[in-house]
Amino acid sequence: PKWIVEPQDIALLENYPASIPCQVHGMPTPIVRWFRIEGENNIPIHSSSKIGLLADGSIRFSKMAKNDEGLFQCRAGNNIGNAVSKIIRISVNG
């Protein structure tokens, strides 16, 4: 997998929607997964009413909240070659 749009640290506004890109390409098409990092734990993120995982690999928050702040990891792999991953910090400003 290779980056198309690599995620970056970002500051977002509380109570507004936001999308964070994580776009990759490769053959076969890589699978993109997002994780929230809490201490030593990488917690998988699943689509919900608050968070959507988009087809292009981006993550979408319907409404940012202060408790959404923290470290997140985008990881993409296709079982051929090395996976790519990036840890970013999301800050939420009120």
Side-chain angles (χ1 to χ4, degrees):
K2 304 275 186 221
W3 292 113
I4 297 172
V5 180
E6 187 174 351
Q8 304 292 324
D9 292 349
I10 191 166
L12 301 166
L13 290 174
E14 188 175 21
N15 297 320
Y16 285 88
S19 292
I20 300 150
C22 179
Q23 298 173 4
V24 296
H25 70 88
M27 286 304 239
T29 302
I31 295 171
V32 176
R33 292 188 174 94
W34 279 91
F35 299 86
R36 183 172 186 134
I37 299 173
E38 294 183 4
E40 298 294 315
N41 298 317
N42 289 356
I43 300 165
I45 296 174
H46 303 285
S47 287
S48 67
S49 60
K50 180 172 176 47
I51 298 175
L53 302 175
L54 306 182
D56 69 359
S58 301
I59 188 171
R60 174 142 178 89
F61 292 84
S62 61
K63 186 175 174 183
M64 295 303 300
K66 286 298 272 182
N67 66 357
D68 293 322
E69 284 188 322
L71 296 176
F72 290 78
Q73 180 184 41
C74 174
R75 191 182 308 160
N78 61 5
N79 294 324
I80 297 176
N82 295 324
V84 294
S85 70
K86 175 80 181 271
I87 295 173
I88 64 166
R89 177 175 300 280
I90 296 176
S91 302
V92 179
N93 299 321

